[in-house]
Amino acid sequence: MHKDETVHHYQFASDNYAGICPEALEAMAAANTGFACSYGDDPWTARACTLLRDFFETDCEVFFVFNGTAANSLALASLCNSYHSIVCHETSHVETDECGAVEFFSNGTKVLLVPGDNGKVDLDAVEHTVRRRTDIHYPKPKALSIAQATEVGTLYSVDELKEVGARAKHLSLKLHVDGARFANAVAALGVPPKELTWKAGVDVLCFGGTKNGMAVGEAVIFFNRELATEFDYRCKQAGQLASKMRFLAAPWIGMLESGAWLTRAAHANDCAARLEAGLRQVNGVRIMFPRQANSVFAEIPPPILAGLRDRGWHFYTFIGSGGARFMCSWETSESDVDALLTAVREVAATVGP
Amino acid sequence: MHKDETVHHYQFASDNYAGICPEALEAMAAANTGFACSYGDDPWTARACTLLRDFFETDCEVFFVFNGTAANSLALASLCNSYHSIVCHETSHVETDECGAVEFFSNGTKVLLVPGDNGKVDLDAVEHTVRRRTDIHYPKPKALSIAQATEVGTLYSVDELKEVGARAKHLSLKLHVDGARFANAVAALGVPPKELTWKAGVDVLCFGGTKNGMAVGEAVIFFNRELATEFDYRCKQAGQLASKMRFLAAPWIGMLESGAWLTRAAHANDCAARLEAGLRQVNGVRIMFPRQANSVFAEIPPPILAGLRDRGWHFYTFIGSGGARFMCSWETSESDVDALLTAVREVAATVGP
Amino acid sequence: MHKDETVHHYQFASDNYAGICPEALEAMAAANTGFACSYGDDPWTARACTLLRDFFETDCEVFFVFNGTAANSLALASLCNSYHSIVCHETSHVETDECGAVEFFSNGTKVLLVPGDNGKVDLDAVEHTVRRRTDIHYPKPKALSIAQATEVGTLYSVDELKEVGARAKHLSLKLHVDGARFANAVAALGVPPKELTWKAGVDVLCFGGTKNGMAVGEAVIFFNRELATEFDYRCKQAGQLASKMRFLAAPWIGMLESGAWLTRAAHANDCAARLEAGLRQVNGVRIMFPRQANSVFAEIPPPILAGLRDRGWHFYTFIGSGGARFMCSWETSESDVDALLTAVREVAATVGP
Amino acid sequence: MHKDETVHHYQFASDNYAGICPEALEAMAAANTGFACSYGDDPWTARACTLLRDFFETDCEVFFVFNGTAANSLALASLCNSYHSIVCHETSHVETDECGAVEFFSNGTKVLLVPGDNGKVDLDAVEHTVRRRTDIHYPKPKALSIAQATEVGTLYSVDELKEVGARAKHLSLKLHVDGARFANAVAALGVPPKELTWKAGVDVLCFGGTKNGMAVGEAVIFFNRELATEFDYRCKQAGQLASKMRFLAAPWIGMLESGAWLTRAAHANDCAARLEAGLRQVNGVRIMFPRQANSVFAEIPPPILAGLRDRGWHFYTFIGSGGARFMCSWETSESDVDALLTAVREVAATVGP
């Protein structure tokens, strides 16, 4: 199925190259105490739900699914019928990196794209997309999907988010947040999670566990409880109901009770800040988007990028720009960052101006 | 989302009430060594694939997905178009317990049911179902799906399986095996896995990891490699591609290298045998199907069943029969079995003849 | 694509072997008067809707689609989500003759079968199907689908229908009626259409135009108007929105204004009655179901059936019984019936007792 | 369902505002001669298929479906799996006007957009779209869909089409042509239909009957016969198999045998040419795209457009441009065109420069 590749100790391709953080792994092991009811009727699932309700300071509905593709697609499918459409940013993950999963889970819901600076939706473009046509040949816009942090590592401020929420409401759009890196956003913005969710009008959040340090698993959080009706059936039919649910739920207990969700995310953000600061010192390098969470997008002369790849560094090319994405994770160390910066400087020196 | 329930130390409801067996958990922890490429381009995934190819003694295609519902549904969707149909036993899991997942993943493939003794498909009924109509108002049968072990805990012998394979070929049906408890079947039949798969004409097997002792994860094994074309895309779109794939793959390494896949399954089978033997001694209890793997289906007077439930024992009622299903797992101990038997006897004594 | 076959002047295979009745064809031609707005914004569509509302004596929502498969499937898809299920009779057309269309349009809604005498659902079996399980592995029953007339040509009386409606309501099931031969039912029962629909609790009716005498087209009638929300979008996306809608709508005007819907259906029923009476006189022939609408199901000795086929008569074999279905249409004449009866008698005489 | 609107005798909104042309209606009536086998096993369907094979001078597979949305969506679904993608022009009908039908019929196939002058795909952009990514998070491009005539009324020349076909083959893309106005294209280009289809590498063509003058119906023509495998099942399941198929097939006989397919299309093209010539004389009017088939796209000062609307003229606004689309049909007369031109001139005079 897959070609063998050696393990790369130092790399910045994605935060899903990182392993399981100790708090998550220990919680899994701690849940491994004999028999437990399956499919979520176990005390760990109950406890994790309670902790998430405390976390958001509201009585939200909580579901645990296996990965982000499923979390986003199922959440959006619960907001839309097949003949509806979802408005999102043209760089959004649901558009560019899920191989048509949204369309598959919803049986055809169309994704309509809007531009916007720094990976954030332009609200006038959203409004235009909703208002420009009302005929039945045009799939009726029903949901607005944004990401926090965005695909280019930026953040919606609380005020921006409130504006998004208000406009969504004004346009009768349900508001979905792809929070694969929601912990990084909270850590960076330093506000209570409720400020970034239901208080701003978010209907459903896909809260990422994997990139925060877990082995597998995301939480789908419905602040609008009505929208969660029969979501358990939806998960079951779509192959997203874990039989040994406790092992999906327990890591959330570990992360939330220990505070690791925050410290691990803050650490990743700090690494990115350190990397950004270092890159800014390198001639010919340009930071492409405000660095706000755990990634740095930089335009770097192609010969330097080639040189880094030759030395075994991993990072993504940013589609269409010739730039590079460096992603930091809970497992990235300051010395990893420094090693990368050293490599950049060395390669740059070789390549010349 | 879920109501809290206390943990039940002794129970027989399902093998998915069991935890993670040590060999699987240790292998997960052992894979947690820093960065690794995601989505399967890591050495653990490669190693697990190699081990599974060795296991089946053939160059099969191997994919790891999150659970059995997805494994079966995706495998069947790769065999059929939406206007085809799948023939399976009327008690099969894909029909009775997956909430329409097969129809969902395949966008409408119909499931056609056949009877058969002891949970095994009657091949003449299969042939009748395929041959009885050839008009386009009838979804064209394209796949035969059986389970090994079956939903009622019985096994297809090697000879029976060859007959199934030959008939499927004769009818131009692809052959799918739901192997949620495939390890138990191999342990019970004592033959090399190849005898129960490709040598008998099986095209694709869903090999269950969860019930064998893992936290999460099943392997989809294509012996007919052509059918695996683009199956990775299918998994991705359907939300079944793990980003940190190594943690789905590593447990297979642990189970296969240690031989735990066999010893754990054999132990569960032995517990079921012990339970069967004990139940046969109880007046008024009738074993419903040949006990061949890790479950016992018994017709037990309803007052006894009620008494057992009152004492906190968990087991499933077998739909439509008034009987009971007792499932043993890797974690079931002999003393658990004996405690259940004691309880049965005590309750039976109270209830009277 | 299709093999050429000569036209059969006398046959009883299906009422869709008949042509277009004059009232429908003339109405189509009458609507062909220059330009008209497309997609239903034309006066013929408006008029047809009004006539259907008058017909049912209620302010129902009306949509015109191309055929019965689409009408039933779209109507059911509007009642259910993919993880729900539909309960219907085991001989129902949506189960046996639509090649998985219900599952396709709804993206996986499962069809659950119940038995029942004379092609009518046994309400206790319906209740059992709804009540027997409430776990999320079982697709939640959400709709009851019946046919009027049924697949075996019988009718639900007004009282039976009220009982069906009451039970559906009691079980929180929406009630769908496949009315491919609804006109025949109304003609036979001699009651106002409202008595067979909304007054009995029917939520949505698929009212067949094709078998009543039109070239193409069925009307989907929502008595429960809420369920019709955005049904126009659903039709559009599913390829069921006619651009030149007036030609789907106009035949309804022709049929309803002239009363042909009734006289044509009554004529077909009368032919079936004549055929039934004649067949009852033939030795060895047994009428299988009460003949109530426009078809006769009869058990006839296989040599006689073979002899009829040899003489070029068309009829369907009734699956699993060795019987035969004779269907009369608006275009069947008394002399067609008599010719068939003569042929039966002649063949029977040849074959001997 | 729909609001009543009066009939507009003179309008240019769409060619589907036209009625049925005499050759099509007479052929329908001529097919109405008593009983005929249903679902396509009738002599008219056979004859229409033969005529279409003669028309294209090749042994193509032919299917008749109800409308263009279904024709395009089913054809594309037969080329792709759900995790594939379809490349088409950003103004294409399948993207902008089918309410997600492509995604619905294929259960999620994503539509990827490319730009291109005059509504024709830029082949380098197509190549870039196919080549830019090969990872499984990106739905694998499998088909190229173009329209002939295009959404903006332009035509691919034979040479351009050959280039498209060659590039598609080079990129392993199947080539689909949306031919809602294919007859207009053939009439305008004056070449045999084979030159615009299989000789240029077209795999499947959706040949529009409705806009050519029929009441309802499109032909799906597979030049690549392998791709047509089981397409009849696909049509059936998707509610696109007409029971009284002869009435969908007969109009093709009428149009092809009489040559009306060509004369009617050529007339519509001529009307558009006349309109274009007239509009070019009006101050402030700019023709937006080369007028090649039966439509004229013109940028016209908004006050003039408003004035035309006030006088009851119908035409579409061209999205995003402030321009107007005037569509001519078989039923448009020269005097309709002249009346519109007079109105434009009069309004323009009132409005002033």
Side-chain angles (χ1 to χ4, degrees):
Chain A
M1 164 194 189
H2 295 289
K3 60 180 185 298
D4 195 333
E5 295 203 4
T6 51
V7 188
H8 300 274
H9 289 289
Y10 304 103
Q11 60 73 32
F12 292 81
S14 176
D15 27 9
N16 60 32
Y17 275 47
I20 314 174
C21 73
E23 297 85 351
L25 187 57
E26 282 156 21
M28 273 186 93
N32 196 28
T33 60
F35 298 112
C37 286
S38 50
Y39 301 117
D41 286 331
D42 65 85
W44 294 274
T45 302
R47 174 78 183 136
C49 290
T50 299
L51 286 169
L52 280 162
R53 288 187 190 109
D54 293 348
F55 182 81
F56 288 107
E57 303 177 51
T58 188
D59 188 24
C60 48
E61 286 273 13
V62 178
F63 300 87
F64 300 103
V65 298
F66 293 115
N67 70 6
T69 299
N72 285 329
S73 300
L74 286 170
L76 288 166
S78 74
L79 307 183
C80 296
N81 285 321
S82 60
Y83 46 79
H84 289 141
S85 56
I86 295 156
V87 183
C88 67
H89 194 273
E90 57 197 8
T91 64
S92 73
H93 199 266
V94 296
E95 167 64 15
T96 65
D97 281 290
E98 294 185 350
C99 198
V102 166
E103 293 86 348
F104 173 79
F105 279 88
S106 64
N107 198 23
T109 304
K110 220 168 163 64
V111 179
L112 303 179
L113 305 179
V114 293
D117 292 343
N118 294 323
K120 293 185 260 187
V121 291
D122 178 307
L123 290 178
D124 291 337
V126 172
E127 179 140 3
H128 176 69
T129 298
V130 173
R131 299 269 196 237
R132 61 195 276 261
R133 288 177 62 183
T134 55
D135 60 276
I136 59 173
H137 310 279
Y138 185 67
K140 193 174 180 172
K142 198 68 184 259
L144 174 61
S145 173
I146 63 170
Q148 176 82 313
T150 73
E151 264 323 87
V152 298
T154 57
L155 299 174
Y156 289 88
S157 70
V158 172
D159 282 349
E160 284 174 331
L161 213 56
K162 279 184 183 160
E163 219 184 321
V164 171
R167 193 72 75 99
K169 192 171 181 184
H170 173 66
L171 296 169
S172 300
L173 298 175
K174 301 295 177 199
L175 183 54
H176 162 259
V177 174
D178 174 353
R181 297 182 181 98
F182 184 71
N184 299 288
V186 177
L189 291 168
V191 295
K194 68 179 170 186
E195 298 293 336
L196 300 178
T197 53
W198 59 274
K199 289 195 70 174
V202 172
D203 290 295
V204 54
L205 167 73
C206 296
F207 188 175
T210 315
K211 285 167 178 161
N212 197 206
M214 302 181 194
V216 60
E218 315 283 297
V220 181
I221 317 281
F222 285 91
F223 302 106
N224 181 336
R225 292 175 62 94
E226 251 181 61
L227 297 173
T229 306
E230 298 178 347
F231 193 73
D232 48 353
Y233 281 90
R234 197 178 284 279
C235 290
K236 166 66 200 180
Q237 185 183 39
Q240 291 290 330
L241 178 67
S243 56
K244 297 183 178 175
M245 182 72 91
R246 56 175 149 163
F247 300 114
L248 244 70
W252 287 94
I253 302 176
M255 298 299 281
L256 291 170
E257 287 190 340
S258 68
W261 73 270
L262 183 62
T263 53
R264 297 297 188 180
H267 169 80
N269 293 353
D270 290 346
C271 287
R274 185 183 187 91
L275 177 58
E276 178 202 6
L279 285 175
R280 285 193 184 280
Q281 310 306 318
V282 182
N283 250 343
V285 170
R286 189 181 69 83
I287 301 302
M288 296 168 69
F289 304 103
R291 200 288 313 157
Q292 296 183 283
N294 61 321
S295 58
V296 184
F297 287 77
E299 227 173 78
I300 299 182
I304 299 184
L305 293 181
L308 288 172
R309 288 225 164 78
D310 285 348
R311 292 177 173 221
W313 291 95
H314 275 221
F315 48 85
Y316 281 6
T317 300
F318 188 62
I319 301 295
S321 74
R325 183 189 87 167
F326 299 94
M327 187 66 72
C328 300
S329 72
W330 73 266
E331 204 163 13
T332 307
S333 66
E334 295 193 356
S335 63
D336 290 340
V337 173
D338 293 345
L340 172 61
L341 286 170
T342 301
V344 172
R345 282 188 295 260
E346 287 177 2
V347 174
T350 320
V351 167
Chain B
M1 164 199 189
H2 297 287
K3 61 180 185 301
D4 196 333
E5 294 203 4
T6 53
V7 187
H8 300 274
H9 290 288
Y10 303 104
Q11 59 73 34
F12 291 82
S14 176
D15 26 9
N16 60 34
Y17 276 48
I20 314 174
C21 72
E23 296 85 352
L25 188 55
E26 282 156 22
M28 273 187 92
N32 197 28
T33 60
F35 298 114
C37 285
S38 50
Y39 302 119
D41 287 330
D42 66 85
W44 294 274
T45 302
R47 174 79 184 134
C49 290
T50 299
L51 287 169
L52 281 162
R53 288 184 192 113
D54 293 348
F55 182 80
F56 288 107
E57 303 177 50
T58 189
D59 188 24
C60 49
E61 286 272 14
V62 178
F63 301 87
F64 299 103
V65 299
F66 294 115
N67 70 5
T69 299
N72 285 327
S73 300
L74 286 171
L76 288 166
S78 74
L79 307 184
C80 296
N81 284 321
S82 61
Y83 47 79
H84 289 142
S85 56
I86 295 156
V87 183
C88 67
H89 194 275
E90 57 196 8
T91 63
S92 74
H93 199 266
V94 296
E95 166 64 16
T96 64
D97 282 289
E98 294 184 349
C99 198
V102 166
E103 292 86 348
F104 173 79
F105 279 87
S106 64
N107 198 23
T109 304
K110 218 167 164 66
V111 179
L112 303 179
L113 305 179
V114 294
D117 291 343
N118 294 325
K120 293 185 262 188
V121 291
D122 178 308
L123 290 178
D124 291 337
V126 171
E127 179 140 3
H128 176 69
T129 298
V130 172
R131 300 269 196 234
R132 61 195 277 259
R133 288 177 62 182
T134 55
D135 60 276
I136 60 175
H137 310 279
Y138 184 67
K140 194 176 181 171
K142 198 70 184 257
L144 173 60
S145 173
I146 63 169
Q148 175 82 315
T150 73
E151 264 324 87
V152 298
T154 57
L155 300 174
Y156 289 87
S157 70
V158 171
D159 282 348
E160 285 174 330
L161 213 55
K162 279 184 181 159
E163 221 184 321
V164 171
R167 193 72 74 99
K169 193 171 181 183
H170 173 66
L171 296 170
S172 299
L173 297 175
K174 300 295 177 200
L175 183 54
H176 162 260
V177 174
D178 175 352
R181 298 180 182 99
F182 184 72
N184 299 288
V186 177
L189 291 167
V191 295
K194 67 179 170 186
E195 299 292 336
L196 299 178
T197 53
W198 58 275
K199 288 194 71 174
V202 172
D203 290 296
V204 55
L205 166 74
C206 296
F207 189 174
T210 315
K211 284 168 179 161
N212 197 207
M214 303 181 193
V216 61
E218 316 282 298
V220 182
I221 317 280
F222 285 91
F223 302 106
N224 182 335
R225 292 174 62 94
E226 251 181 61
L227 297 172
T229 306
E230 298 177 347
F231 193 74
D232 48 352
Y233 282 90
R234 197 179 286 280
C235 291
K236 166 66 201 182
Q237 184 182 38
Q240 291 290 329
L241 179 67
S243 56
K244 297 182 178 175
M245 181 72 88
R246 56 175 149 163
F247 300 114
L248 243 69
W252 288 93
I253 302 176
M255 298 300 280
L256 290 169
E257 287 190 340
S258 67
W261 72 271
L262 183 64
T263 51
R264 297 298 188 181
H267 168 79
N269 293 353
D270 291 345
C271 286
R274 185 185 188 91
L275 179 57
E276 178 203 7
L279 285 175
R280 284 193 185 279
Q281 309 306 318
V282 182
N283 250 345
V285 170
R286 189 180 68 81
I287 301 302
M288 297 168 70
F289 304 102
R291 198 289 311 156
Q292 296 183 281
N294 61 321
S295 59
V296 183
F297 287 76
E299 228 173 78
I300 299 182
I304 300 184
L305 294 181
L308 289 172
R309 289 224 164 79
D310 285 349
R311 290 177 174 221
W313 292 94
H314 274 222
F315 49 85
Y316 281 6
T317 300
F318 188 62
I319 302 295
S321 74
R325 184 188 86 167
F326 299 95
M327 188 66 73
C328 299
S329 72
W330 73 269
E331 204 163 15
T332 307
S333 67
E334 295 192 358
S335 62
D336 290 340
V337 173
D338 294 343
L340 173 60
L341 286 170
T342 301
V344 172
R345 282 188 295 260
E346 288 177 2
V347 175
T350 321
V351 168
Chain C
M1 165 197 189
H2 296 288
K3 60 180 184 299
D4 196 332
E5 295 202 3
T6 52
V7 188
H8 300 274
H9 290 289
Y10 304 105
Q11 60 73 34
F12 292 82
S14 176
D15 28 7
N16 59 33
Y17 276 47
I20 314 175
C21 72
E23 297 85 351
L25 187 56
E26 281 155 24
M28 272 186 94
N32 196 28
T33 59
F35 298 112
C37 286
S38 49
Y39 301 118
D41 285 331
D42 66 85
W44 293 274
T45 302
R47 174 80 183 131
C49 290
T50 299
L51 286 168
L52 281 162
R53 288 186 191 110
D54 293 347
F55 182 82
F56 288 107
E57 303 176 52
T58 188
D59 188 24
C60 47
E61 286 272 13
V62 178
F63 301 87
F64 300 103
V65 298
F66 294 114
N67 69 6
T69 300
N72 285 328
S73 300
L74 286 170
L76 288 166
S78 75
L79 306 184
C80 296
N81 285 320
S82 61
Y83 48 79
H84 288 142
S85 55
I86 296 155
V87 183
C88 68
H89 194 274
E90 56 196 8
T91 63
S92 73
H93 199 266
V94 297
E95 167 63 15
T96 65
D97 281 289
E98 295 184 349
C99 198
V102 165
E103 293 86 348
F104 174 79
F105 279 87
S106 64
N107 199 23
T109 304
K110 219 166 164 65
V111 179
L112 303 180
L113 305 179
V114 294
D117 292 343
N118 294 325
K120 293 185 260 187
V121 293
D122 178 307
L123 290 177
D124 291 338
V126 172
E127 178 140 4
H128 176 69
T129 299
V130 173
R131 300 270 196 235
R132 61 195 277 261
R133 288 177 62 182
T134 55
D135 60 277
I136 59 173
H137 310 277
Y138 185 68
K140 194 175 182 173
K142 197 69 184 257
L144 175 60
S145 173
I146 63 170
Q148 175 81 315
T150 72
E151 266 321 88
V152 298
T154 57
L155 299 173
Y156 289 87
S157 70
V158 172
D159 281 350
E160 283 174 332
L161 213 56
K162 279 184 182 159
E163 220 185 319
V164 171
R167 193 73 74 99
K169 192 170 181 183
H170 173 66
L171 296 169
S172 299
L173 298 175
K174 300 297 177 198
L175 183 54
H176 162 259
V177 174
D178 175 351
R181 299 182 180 99
F182 185 71
N184 299 288
V186 177
L189 291 168
V191 295
K194 68 180 170 186
E195 298 293 336
L196 299 177
T197 52
W198 59 274
K199 289 193 70 174
V202 172
D203 290 295
V204 56
L205 167 73
C206 296
F207 188 174
T210 315
K211 284 168 179 161
N212 197 206
M214 303 181 193
V216 61
E218 316 283 297
V220 182
I221 317 281
F222 285 91
F223 302 105
N224 181 335
R225 292 174 63 94
E226 250 181 61
L227 297 172
T229 306
E230 298 178 347
F231 193 74
D232 48 353
Y233 282 91
R234 197 178 285 278
C235 290
K236 166 67 199 180
Q237 185 183 37
Q240 292 290 330
L241 179 68
S243 56
K244 297 183 178 176
M245 182 72 91
R246 56 175 149 162
F247 299 115
L248 244 70
W252 287 94
I253 302 176
M255 298 300 280
L256 291 169
E257 287 190 339
S258 67
W261 73 271
L262 183 62
T263 53
R264 297 297 186 181
H267 169 80
N269 292 354
D270 291 345
C271 286
R274 185 183 188 90
L275 178 57
E276 179 203 7
L279 285 176
R280 284 192 184 279
Q281 308 307 317
V282 182
N283 249 343
V285 170
R286 190 180 68 82
I287 302 301
M288 296 168 70
F289 304 103
R291 200 287 314 156
Q292 296 183 283
N294 61 322
S295 58
V296 183
F297 287 76
E299 228 173 78
I300 298 182
I304 299 183
L305 294 181
L308 289 172
R309 289 225 162 80
D310 284 348
R311 292 177 173 221
W313 292 94
H314 275 221
F315 50 85
Y316 281 5
T317 301
F318 188 62
I319 302 294
S321 74
R325 184 189 87 167
F326 298 95
M327 187 66 73
C328 299
S329 72
W330 73 267
E331 204 162 14
T332 307
S333 67
E334 294 192 357
S335 63
D336 290 340
V337 173
D338 293 345
L340 173 61
L341 286 169
T342 300
V344 172
R345 282 188 295 260
E346 288 176 4
V347 174
T350 320
V351 167
Chain D
M1 165 194 188
H2 296 288
K3 60 182 185 298
D4 195 334
E5 294 204 3
T6 53
V7 188
H8 300 275
H9 289 289
Y10 303 104
Q11 59 73 34
F12 292 82
S14 176
D15 26 9
N16 60 32
Y17 275 47
I20 313 175
C21 72
E23 298 84 352
L25 188 56
E26 282 155 22
M28 272 186 94
N32 196 27
T33 59
F35 298 113
C37 286
S38 49
Y39 301 119
D41 286 331
D42 66 85
W44 294 274
T45 302
R47 174 80 183 132
C49 290
T50 299
L51 287 168
L52 282 161
R53 288 186 190 110
D54 293 348
F55 182 81
F56 288 108
E57 303 177 52
T58 188
D59 188 24
C60 47
E61 286 272 14
V62 178
F63 301 86
F64 299 103
V65 300
F66 294 114
N67 70 5
T69 300
N72 285 327
S73 300
L74 286 170
L76 288 166
S78 75
L79 307 184
C80 297
N81 284 321
S82 61
Y83 47 79
H84 289 141
S85 56
I86 295 157
V87 183
C88 67
H89 193 274
E90 58 196 9
T91 63
S92 73
H93 199 266
V94 297
E95 167 64 16
T96 64
D97 280 291
E98 294 185 349
C99 198
V102 165
E103 293 86 348
F104 173 78
F105 279 88
S106 64
N107 199 24
T109 304
K110 220 170 163 65
V111 179
L112 303 180
L113 305 179
V114 294
D117 291 344
N118 295 325
K120 293 184 263 188
V121 292
D122 178 307
L123 290 177
D124 291 337
V126 172
E127 179 140 3
H128 175 68
T129 299
V130 173
R131 300 269 197 236
R132 60 195 278 262
R133 288 177 62 181
T134 55
D135 60 277
I136 58 174
H137 310 278
Y138 185 67
K140 194 177 182 172
K142 197 71 184 258
L144 174 60
S145 172
I146 63 169
Q148 174 83 314
T150 73
E151 266 322 89
V152 298
T154 56
L155 300 173
Y156 289 87
S157 70
V158 172
D159 282 349
E160 284 174 332
L161 212 56
K162 279 184 182 160
E163 220 185 321
V164 171
R167 193 73 74 98
K169 193 171 180 184
H170 173 65
L171 296 170
S172 300
L173 297 175
K174 301 296 176 200
L175 182 55
H176 162 259
V177 174
D178 175 352
R181 298 182 181 99
F182 184 71
N184 299 289
V186 177
L189 292 168
V191 295
K194 68 179 170 186
E195 299 291 335
L196 299 177
T197 52
W198 58 275
K199 287 194 72 173
V202 173
D203 290 295
V204 55
L205 166 73
C206 296
F207 188 174
T210 314
K211 284 168 179 162
N212 197 207
M214 303 180 193
V216 61
E218 317 282 297
V220 182
I221 317 281
F222 284 91
F223 302 105
N224 182 335
R225 292 174 62 93
E226 250 181 63
L227 297 172
T229 306
E230 298 178 345
F231 192 73
D232 48 352
Y233 281 91
R234 197 179 285 279
C235 290
K236 165 66 199 182
Q237 185 183 37
Q240 291 291 329
L241 179 67
S243 56
K244 297 183 177 175
M245 180 73 88
R246 56 175 149 163
F247 300 115
L248 244 70
W252 288 93
I253 301 176
M255 298 300 280
L256 291 170
E257 286 190 339
S258 67
W261 73 270
L262 183 64
T263 52
R264 298 297 188 182
H267 169 79
N269 292 354
D270 290 346
C271 286
R274 186 184 187 91
L275 178 58
E276 178 203 5
L279 285 176
R280 283 193 184 280
Q281 309 307 318
V282 183
N283 250 344
V285 170
R286 189 181 68 83
I287 302 300
M288 297 167 70
F289 304 103
R291 198 289 313 156
Q292 297 182 282
N294 61 320
S295 58
V296 183
F297 286 76
E299 227 173 78
I300 298 182
I304 300 184
L305 294 181
L308 289 172
R309 288 226 163 77
D310 285 348
R311 291 176 173 221
W313 291 94
H314 274 222
F315 49 86
Y316 281 5
T317 301
F318 188 63
I319 302 295
S321 73
R325 183 189 87 168
F326 299 95
M327 188 66 73
C328 299
S329 72
W330 72 268
E331 204 162 15
T332 307
S333 66
E334 295 192 358
S335 63
D336 290 341
V337 172
D338 292 344
L340 173 61
L341 285 170
T342 301
V344 172
R345 282 188 295 259
E346 288 176 3
V347 175
T350 322
V351 168

